[in-house]
Amino acid sequence: MRKPRGHSVLLSLRNDSESNVLIWKHPEEDFNTNSVLTVQPGENAIFLSEGEIAATFKESGRYELKTNNKFFTGDIRNLLSWGESTFTARLFFIRTNETSEVGWGFGTENPVSVRDPKLHIQTDLTGYGTLRVKIDNAVKLMTRLVSFGIDSFAGDDLMDYFGTQIRQVVKATISKTLEVSDREILGITSRLIEYSNELTPAVKTIIEEYGLTMTNFAIGALNIVHNPHRERVEEGFAARQEADILGDKFGQTKAADIGMSAANNPGGAFLGMTNAGLAANFAQGFNNLAAAESQGDKGGKSLSQRLKELKEARDTGLINADEYEDKRKQIINEL
Protein backbone atom coordinates (compact mmCIF):
# COMPACT_ATOMS: atom_id res chain seq x y z
CA MET A 1 0.00 0.00 0.00
CA ARG A 2 1.42 3.35 -1.00
CA LYS A 3 1.80 6.19 1.44
CA PRO A 4 0.15 9.54 0.74
CA ARG A 5 2.47 11.62 -1.42
CA GLY A 6 0.54 14.84 -1.31
CA HIS A 7 0.85 15.98 -4.93
CA SER A 8 0.03 19.63 -4.42
CA VAL A 9 2.12 20.64 -7.44
CA LEU A 10 1.95 20.03 -11.15
CA LEU A 11 4.40 17.49 -12.50
CA SER A 12 6.73 17.75 -15.48
CA LEU A 13 6.54 14.36 -17.22
CA ARG A 14 9.28 13.20 -19.61
CA ASN A 15 10.99 10.02 -20.81
CA ASP A 16 13.79 9.08 -18.39
CA SER A 17 14.40 5.52 -19.64
CA GLU A 18 17.59 3.98 -21.05
CA SER A 19 18.26 4.36 -24.79
CA ASN A 20 17.64 0.66 -25.54
CA VAL A 21 14.11 0.75 -24.07
CA LEU A 22 11.39 0.95 -26.72
CA ILE A 23 8.39 1.35 -24.42
CA TRP A 24 8.53 2.87 -20.93
CA LYS A 25 5.73 3.60 -18.48
CA HIS A 26 6.20 6.71 -16.36
CA PRO A 27 6.19 5.72 -12.66
CA GLU A 28 3.64 8.42 -11.72
CA GLU A 29 0.07 7.16 -12.06
CA ASP A 30 -2.04 9.78 -10.31
CA PHE A 31 -0.56 13.08 -11.46
CA ASN A 32 -2.72 16.16 -11.22
CA THR A 33 -4.57 17.68 -14.12
CA ASN A 34 -2.66 20.26 -16.14
CA SER A 35 0.63 18.44 -15.49
CA VAL A 36 3.02 19.06 -18.38
CA LEU A 37 4.10 16.32 -20.79
CA THR A 38 7.28 16.75 -22.83
CA VAL A 39 7.61 14.63 -25.98
CA GLN A 40 11.08 14.62 -27.46
CA PRO A 41 12.08 14.02 -31.11
CA GLY A 42 12.15 10.32 -31.98
CA GLU A 43 9.38 9.30 -29.59
CA ASN A 44 5.60 9.15 -29.17
CA ALA A 45 3.52 9.21 -26.00
CA ILE A 46 0.24 7.46 -25.13
CA PHE A 47 -1.90 8.88 -22.32
CA LEU A 48 -4.36 6.56 -20.54
CA SER A 49 -7.08 7.93 -18.30
CA GLU A 50 -9.34 5.57 -16.38
CA GLY A 51 -8.03 2.61 -18.38
CA GLU A 52 -8.85 4.14 -21.78
CA ILE A 53 -6.58 5.77 -24.35
CA ALA A 54 -7.27 9.47 -23.88
CA ALA A 55 -4.66 10.84 -26.28
CA THR A 56 -1.72 9.89 -28.47
CA PHE A 57 1.09 12.38 -29.02
CA LYS A 58 3.14 11.82 -32.19
CA GLU A 59 4.84 15.19 -32.47
CA SER A 60 7.58 16.55 -30.24
CA GLY A 61 6.57 19.40 -27.94
CA ARG A 62 4.98 20.27 -24.58
CA TYR A 63 1.40 19.34 -23.72
CA GLU A 64 -0.94 19.85 -20.73
CA LEU A 65 -2.69 16.67 -19.59
CA LYS A 66 -6.25 16.70 -18.25
CA THR A 67 -7.01 14.18 -15.49
CA ASN A 68 -9.66 13.77 -12.77
CA ASN A 69 -7.03 14.44 -10.11
CA LYS A 70 -7.60 18.08 -9.16
CA PHE A 71 -5.05 20.31 -7.55
CA PHE A 72 -5.23 20.12 -3.68
CA THR A 73 -8.73 18.63 -3.52
CA GLY A 74 -7.45 15.41 -5.06
CA ASP A 75 -4.86 15.05 -2.31
CA ILE A 76 -7.50 15.53 0.38
CA ARG A 77 -9.71 12.90 -1.27
CA ASN A 78 -6.78 10.48 -1.52
CA LEU A 79 -6.24 10.65 2.25
CA LEU A 80 -9.51 8.78 2.65
CA SER A 81 -8.04 5.85 0.66
CA TRP A 82 -4.61 5.84 2.33
CA GLY A 83 -2.95 7.70 -0.50
CA GLU A 84 -4.36 5.57 -3.31
CA SER A 85 -5.89 7.73 -6.02
CA THR A 86 -9.43 6.80 -7.03
CA PHE A 87 -8.63 8.10 -10.53
CA THR A 88 -5.82 6.52 -12.54
CA ALA A 89 -3.73 8.21 -15.18
CA ARG A 90 -0.87 6.44 -16.90
CA LEU A 91 1.63 7.64 -19.44
CA PHE A 92 3.70 5.53 -21.86
CA PHE A 93 6.65 6.72 -23.92
CA ILE A 94 7.45 4.90 -27.18
CA ARG A 95 10.74 5.35 -29.02
CA THR A 96 10.27 5.44 -32.79
CA ASN A 97 13.94 5.45 -33.73
CA GLU A 98 15.48 2.35 -35.30
CA THR A 99 16.55 -0.21 -32.71
CA SER A 100 20.09 -1.48 -32.34
CA GLU A 101 20.72 -4.94 -33.78
CA VAL A 102 18.55 -7.65 -32.23
CA GLY A 103 20.01 -11.15 -32.42
CA TRP A 104 18.25 -14.39 -33.36
CA GLY A 105 19.54 -17.91 -33.98
CA PHE A 106 19.21 -21.67 -33.70
CA GLY A 107 21.86 -23.97 -32.20
CA THR A 108 22.73 -27.64 -32.05
CA GLU A 109 19.73 -28.39 -29.84
CA ASN A 110 17.36 -27.30 -32.63
CA PRO A 111 19.26 -27.28 -35.95
CA VAL A 112 18.11 -27.28 -39.57
CA SER A 113 18.26 -30.89 -40.80
CA VAL A 114 18.73 -31.17 -44.56
CA ARG A 115 20.09 -33.67 -47.08
CA ASP A 116 23.26 -32.54 -48.79
CA PRO A 117 22.39 -32.25 -52.52
CA LYS A 118 25.86 -33.42 -53.53
CA LEU A 119 26.79 -36.04 -50.94
CA HIS A 120 23.20 -37.20 -50.33
CA ILE A 121 23.65 -37.50 -46.56
CA GLN A 122 21.75 -35.84 -43.72
CA THR A 123 23.45 -32.68 -42.51
CA ASP A 124 22.59 -30.44 -39.54
CA LEU A 125 23.08 -26.69 -39.75
CA THR A 126 23.18 -24.04 -37.04
CA GLY A 127 22.86 -20.34 -37.71
CA TYR A 128 22.43 -16.87 -36.33
CA GLY A 129 21.68 -13.37 -37.56
CA THR A 130 20.35 -9.94 -36.66
CA LEU A 131 17.48 -7.63 -37.46
CA ARG A 132 16.57 -4.01 -36.83
CA VAL A 133 13.06 -2.64 -36.35
CA LYS A 134 11.31 0.62 -35.57
CA ILE A 135 7.87 1.22 -34.08
CA ASP A 136 5.47 2.42 -36.76
CA ASN A 137 2.13 2.17 -34.89
CA ALA A 138 2.52 2.47 -31.13
CA VAL A 139 -1.15 1.86 -30.27
CA LYS A 140 -1.26 -1.27 -32.44
CA LEU A 141 1.91 -2.61 -30.81
CA MET A 142 0.60 -2.00 -27.31
CA THR A 143 -2.86 -3.46 -27.89
CA ARG A 144 -1.83 -6.51 -29.97
CA LEU A 145 1.49 -7.53 -28.50
CA VAL A 146 2.81 -5.89 -25.37
CA SER A 147 -0.32 -4.85 -23.39
CA PHE A 148 -0.58 -1.84 -21.15
CA GLY A 149 0.36 -3.78 -18.02
CA ILE A 150 4.13 -3.57 -18.59
CA ASP A 151 6.61 -1.15 -17.08
CA SER A 152 9.15 -1.32 -19.93
CA PHE A 153 9.90 -3.16 -23.17
CA ALA A 154 13.40 -3.28 -24.71
CA GLY A 155 14.61 -4.28 -28.18
CA ASP A 156 15.97 -7.61 -26.94
CA ASP A 157 12.48 -8.48 -25.66
CA LEU A 158 11.30 -8.73 -29.26
CA MET A 159 12.72 -12.25 -29.55
CA ASP A 160 10.44 -13.40 -26.73
CA TYR A 161 7.56 -12.67 -29.09
CA PHE A 162 8.98 -13.23 -32.59
CA GLY A 163 11.95 -15.56 -32.07
CA THR A 164 10.10 -18.83 -32.71
CA GLN A 165 8.33 -17.53 -35.83
CA ILE A 166 11.53 -16.12 -37.30
CA ARG A 167 13.44 -19.34 -36.71
CA GLN A 168 10.66 -21.37 -38.33
CA VAL A 169 10.67 -19.19 -41.46
CA VAL A 170 14.47 -19.22 -41.76
CA LYS A 171 14.75 -22.99 -41.33
CA ALA A 172 11.89 -23.75 -43.73
CA THR A 173 13.30 -21.48 -46.45
CA ILE A 174 16.82 -22.88 -46.20
CA SER A 175 15.54 -26.47 -46.28
CA LYS A 176 13.33 -25.79 -49.31
CA THR A 177 16.13 -24.05 -51.20
CA LEU A 178 18.62 -26.85 -50.59
CA GLU A 179 16.11 -29.52 -51.63
CA VAL A 180 16.09 -28.20 -55.21
CA SER A 181 19.77 -27.25 -55.31
CA ASP A 182 22.58 -29.19 -56.95
CA ARG A 183 25.30 -27.33 -55.05
CA GLU A 184 27.29 -28.75 -52.19
CA ILE A 185 26.42 -27.50 -48.71
CA LEU A 186 30.07 -26.66 -48.02
CA GLY A 187 29.60 -23.55 -50.17
CA ILE A 188 26.57 -22.33 -48.25
CA THR A 189 28.42 -19.41 -46.66
CA SER A 190 28.76 -17.79 -50.08
CA ARG A 191 24.95 -17.59 -50.27
CA LEU A 192 24.18 -15.75 -47.02
CA ILE A 193 23.22 -12.51 -48.77
CA GLU A 194 21.05 -14.47 -51.21
CA TYR A 195 19.23 -16.20 -48.34
CA SER A 196 18.87 -12.92 -46.39
CA ASN A 197 17.24 -11.19 -49.35
CA GLU A 198 14.92 -14.13 -49.93
CA LEU A 199 13.83 -14.23 -46.28
CA THR A 200 13.34 -10.50 -45.74
CA PRO A 201 9.75 -10.25 -47.12
CA ALA A 202 8.52 -13.20 -45.02
CA VAL A 203 10.05 -11.93 -41.76
CA LYS A 204 8.87 -8.40 -42.52
CA THR A 205 5.28 -9.64 -42.81
CA ILE A 206 5.48 -11.23 -39.34
CA ILE A 207 6.83 -8.02 -37.80
CA GLU A 208 4.42 -5.60 -39.49
CA GLU A 209 1.33 -7.34 -38.12
CA TYR A 210 2.16 -5.79 -34.75
CA GLY A 211 2.79 -2.18 -35.69
CA LEU A 212 6.52 -2.58 -36.34
CA THR A 213 8.60 -1.94 -39.45
CA MET A 214 11.69 -4.05 -40.12
CA THR A 215 14.54 -1.95 -41.50
CA ASN A 216 17.17 -4.66 -41.85
CA PHE A 217 17.47 -8.45 -41.75
CA ALA A 218 20.69 -10.41 -42.13
CA ILE A 219 21.96 -13.96 -41.70
CA GLY A 220 25.33 -13.76 -39.99
CA ALA A 221 26.38 -17.40 -40.36
CA LEU A 222 25.24 -20.91 -41.26
CA ASN A 223 27.51 -23.64 -39.89
CA ILE A 224 27.69 -27.39 -40.49
CA VAL A 225 27.43 -29.37 -37.26
CA HIS A 226 30.34 -31.80 -36.70
CA ASN A 227 29.40 -35.29 -37.88
CA PRO A 228 32.00 -38.12 -38.13
CA HIS A 229 29.90 -39.95 -40.74
CA ARG A 230 29.77 -36.87 -42.95
CA GLU A 231 33.51 -36.37 -42.62
CA ARG A 232 34.19 -39.91 -43.83
CA VAL A 233 31.89 -39.41 -46.82
CA GLU A 234 33.61 -36.09 -47.61
CA GLU A 235 37.00 -37.81 -47.61
CA GLY A 236 35.73 -40.46 -50.01
CA PHE A 237 34.11 -37.82 -52.21
CA ALA A 238 37.37 -35.84 -52.31
CA ALA A 239 39.30 -38.96 -53.34
CA ARG A 240 36.82 -39.62 -56.14
CA GLN A 241 37.12 -36.01 -57.33
CA GLU A 242 40.89 -36.39 -57.37
CA ALA A 243 40.60 -39.46 -59.57
CA ASP A 244 38.18 -37.66 -61.90
CA ILE A 245 40.47 -34.66 -62.21
CA LEU A 246 43.65 -36.61 -62.85
CA GLY A 247 42.03 -39.17 -65.15
CA ASP A 248 44.78 -41.28 -66.75
CA LYS A 249 47.34 -39.57 -64.58
CA PHE A 250 45.78 -41.03 -61.42
CA GLY A 251 47.53 -44.39 -61.78
CA GLN A 252 50.79 -42.64 -62.53
CA THR A 253 50.41 -40.53 -59.39
CA LYS A 254 49.90 -43.57 -57.18
CA ALA A 255 52.84 -45.28 -58.84
CA ALA A 256 54.96 -42.22 -58.27
CA ASP A 257 53.96 -42.23 -54.58
CA ILE A 258 55.14 -45.82 -54.29
CA GLY A 259 58.35 -45.01 -56.12
CA MET A 260 59.12 -42.08 -53.89
CA SER A 261 58.47 -44.24 -50.82
CA ALA A 262 60.93 -46.80 -52.17
CA ALA A 263 63.54 -44.23 -53.01
CA ASN A 264 63.34 -42.82 -49.49
CA ASN A 265 63.45 -46.30 -47.92
CA PRO A 266 66.35 -48.22 -49.55
CA GLY A 267 66.26 -50.90 -46.82
CA GLY A 268 62.55 -51.71 -47.33
CA ALA A 269 60.55 -54.11 -49.47
CA PHE A 270 62.00 -52.89 -52.74
CA LEU A 271 65.37 -54.57 -51.94
CA GLY A 272 63.75 -57.80 -53.18
CA MET A 273 63.11 -56.41 -56.66
CA THR A 274 65.22 -57.92 -59.42
CA ASN A 275 64.88 -54.82 -61.54
CA ALA A 276 67.14 -52.29 -59.86
CA GLY A 277 65.82 -49.44 -61.98
CA LEU A 278 62.14 -49.89 -61.04
CA ALA A 279 62.17 -47.49 -58.09
CA ALA A 280 63.99 -44.91 -60.16
CA ASN A 281 61.33 -45.20 -62.88
CA PHE A 282 58.59 -44.64 -60.29
CA ALA A 283 60.39 -41.57 -58.99
CA GLN A 284 60.85 -40.24 -62.52
CA GLY A 285 57.11 -40.61 -63.12
CA PHE A 286 56.42 -38.57 -60.02
CA ASN A 287 58.83 -35.87 -61.10
CA ASN A 288 57.19 -35.63 -64.54
CA LEU A 289 53.73 -35.22 -63.00
CA ALA A 290 54.97 -32.63 -60.52
CA ALA A 291 56.58 -30.70 -63.36
CA ALA A 292 53.28 -30.63 -65.27
CA GLU A 293 51.51 -29.38 -62.16
CA SER A 294 54.05 -26.63 -61.46
CA GLN A 295 54.14 -25.36 -65.05
CA GLY A 296 50.35 -24.75 -65.06
CA ASP A 297 48.67 -22.76 -67.81
CA LYS A 298 50.05 -19.93 -69.87
CA GLY A 299 49.42 -17.51 -67.03
CA GLY A 300 51.71 -19.49 -64.73
CA LYS A 301 48.88 -20.92 -62.59
CA SER A 302 49.04 -24.50 -61.39
CA LEU A 303 46.37 -27.09 -62.17
CA SER A 304 45.02 -27.09 -58.62
CA GLN A 305 44.91 -23.29 -58.55
CA ARG A 306 42.98 -23.12 -61.84
CA LEU A 307 40.48 -25.74 -60.67
CA LYS A 308 40.03 -23.96 -57.34
CA GLU A 309 39.30 -20.62 -59.03
CA LEU A 310 36.88 -22.34 -61.41
CA LYS A 311 34.98 -23.88 -58.47
CA GLU A 312 34.81 -20.50 -56.71
CA ALA A 313 33.35 -18.95 -59.88
CA ARG A 314 30.63 -21.60 -59.91
CA ASP A 315 29.85 -21.30 -56.18
CA THR A 316 29.50 -17.52 -56.39
CA GLY A 317 27.21 -17.73 -59.42
CA LEU A 318 29.59 -16.21 -61.99
CA ILE A 319 29.17 -19.34 -64.13
CA ASN A 320 26.53 -22.05 -64.14
CA ALA A 321 27.02 -25.78 -63.55
CA ASP A 322 27.25 -26.64 -67.26
CA GLU A 323 29.87 -23.96 -67.92
CA TYR A 324 31.82 -25.17 -64.91
CA GLU A 325 31.84 -28.78 -66.13
CA ASP A 326 32.90 -27.82 -69.69
CA LYS A 327 35.76 -25.67 -68.44
CA ARG A 328 36.89 -28.32 -65.94
CA LYS A 329 37.16 -30.92 -68.70
CA GLN A 330 39.05 -28.46 -70.86
CA ILE A 331 41.62 -27.84 -68.13
CA ILE A 332 42.09 -31.57 -67.49
CA ASN A 333 42.41 -32.31 -71.21
CA GLU A 334 45.29 -29.84 -71.42
CA LEU A 335 47.44 -32.18 -69.29
Side-chain angles (χ1 to χ4, degrees):
M1 183 178 296
R2 294 184 306 175
K3 296 180 180 180
R5 289 177 295 178
H7 284 163
S8 298
V9 295
L10 301 180
L11 295 180
S12 177
L13 306 165
R14 64 178 64 243
N15 190 350
D16 294 325
S17 67
E18 300 292 333
S19 60
N20 67 323
V21 176
L22 298 179
I23 301 173
W24 181 71
K25 184 183 75 173
H26 198 283
E28 298 291 344
E29 294 189 11
D30 59 352
F31 42 85
N32 289 323
T33 191
N34 295 329
S35 290
V36 178
L37 162 67
T38 300
V39 179
Q40 303 177 66
E43 67 181 22
N44 292 172
I46 299 177
F47 172 45
L48 271 70
S49 180
E50 306 307 315
E52 301 290 336
I53 298 178
T56 300
F57 305 92
K58 297 183 178 181
E59 302 292 335
S60 59
R62 291 167 61 86
Y63 305 89
E64 283 191 358
L65 302 179
K66 301 298 182 181
T67 74
N68 290 319
N69 293 315
K70 306 298 183 181
F71 176 72
F72 184 70
T73 58
D75 288 337
I76 295 176
R77 183 182 62 249
N78 292 349
L79 290 175
L80 301 176
S81 57
W82 296 93
E84 292 288 345
S85 174
T86 55
F87 300 106
T88 60
R90 289 186 289 172
L91 188 63
F92 291 86
F93 291 91
I94 294 90
R95 280 197 169 85
T96 57
N97 292 332
E98 183 182 62
T99 64
S100 56
E101 289 187 337
V102 178
W104 58 267
F106 47 91
T108 54
E109 72 285 350
N110 190 25
V112 181
S113 293
V114 296
R115 186 167 296 278
D116 191 308
K118 204 76 172 178
L119 301 182
H120 305 293
I121 59 174
Q122 180 176 323
T123 302
D124 289 342
L125 301 173
T126 61
Y128 65 86
T130 60
L131 58 84
R132 291 176 182 267
V133 302
K134 59 186 301 185
I135 298 175
D136 182 57
N137 188 324
V139 174
K140 189 175 183 180
L141 176 66
M142 295 291 289
T143 54
R144 291 202 59 186
L145 183 68
V146 180
S147 87
F148 290 98
I150 64 161
D151 291 328
S152 66
F153 182 83
D156 290 338
D157 295 327
L158 286 170
M159 286 302 101
D160 293 338
Y161 295 89
F162 300 114
T164 299
Q165 289 177 281
I166 291 174
R167 284 189 289 269
Q168 286 176 341
V169 170
V170 172
K171 293 165 69 174
T173 300
I174 292 174
S175 297
K176 182 178 179 180
T177 302
L178 289 175
E179 281 179 3
V180 298
S181 173
D182 61 349
R183 299 158 71 179
E184 190 177 355
I185 283 183
L186 280 176
I188 199 170
T189 54
S190 66
R191 287 167 269 167
L192 296 182
I193 295 178
E194 174 188 334
Y195 285 140
S196 297
N197 292 337
E198 184 175 353
L199 282 160
T200 294
V203 178
K204 193 172 183 180
T205 299
I206 296 172
I207 298 292
E208 288 180 345
E209 291 181 3
Y210 297 92
L212 296 164
T213 296
M214 189 174 71
T215 58
N216 181 260
F217 177 83
I219 299 176
L222 290 172
N223 303 309
I224 298 176
V225 178
H226 173 72
N227 184 332
H229 174 63
R230 177 184 171 84
E231 291 180 356
R232 289 194 297 271
V233 175
E234 283 181 350
E235 290 173 0
F237 187 71
R240 189 180 71 183
Q241 282 187 316
E242 180 184 7
D244 290 342
I245 292 173
L246 293 177
D248 293 338
K249 302 289 185 181
F250 184 68
Q252 299 178 28
T253 303
K254 295 305 179 184
D257 289 341
I258 297 171
M260 288 299 293
S261 176
N264 293 325
N265 187 19
F270 275 86
L271 284 177
M273 290 185 177
T274 56
N275 186 352
L278 182 58
N281 290 336
F282 274 127
Q284 183 60 43
F286 173 82
N287 292 334
N288 292 339
L289 185 61
E293 166 68 10
S294 62
Q295 288 174 3
D297 62 8
K298 295 180 181 180
K301 296 180 180 178
S302 67
L303 170 65
S304 59
Q305 186 175 2
R306 294 173 65 191
L307 290 172
K308 179 180 179 182
E309 291 179 354
L310 182 64
K311 184 176 182 297
E312 290 176 349
R314 182 199 64 183
D315 291 343
T316 55
L318 295 176
I319 60 175
N320 59 37
D322 292 337
E323 292 171 333
Y324 165 79
E325 191 61 30
D326 291 341
K327 186 62 178 176
R328 185 181 72 86
K329 291 178 180 179
Q330 178 183 338
I331 293 174
I332 294 174
N333 289 336
E334 292 176 3
L335 291 176

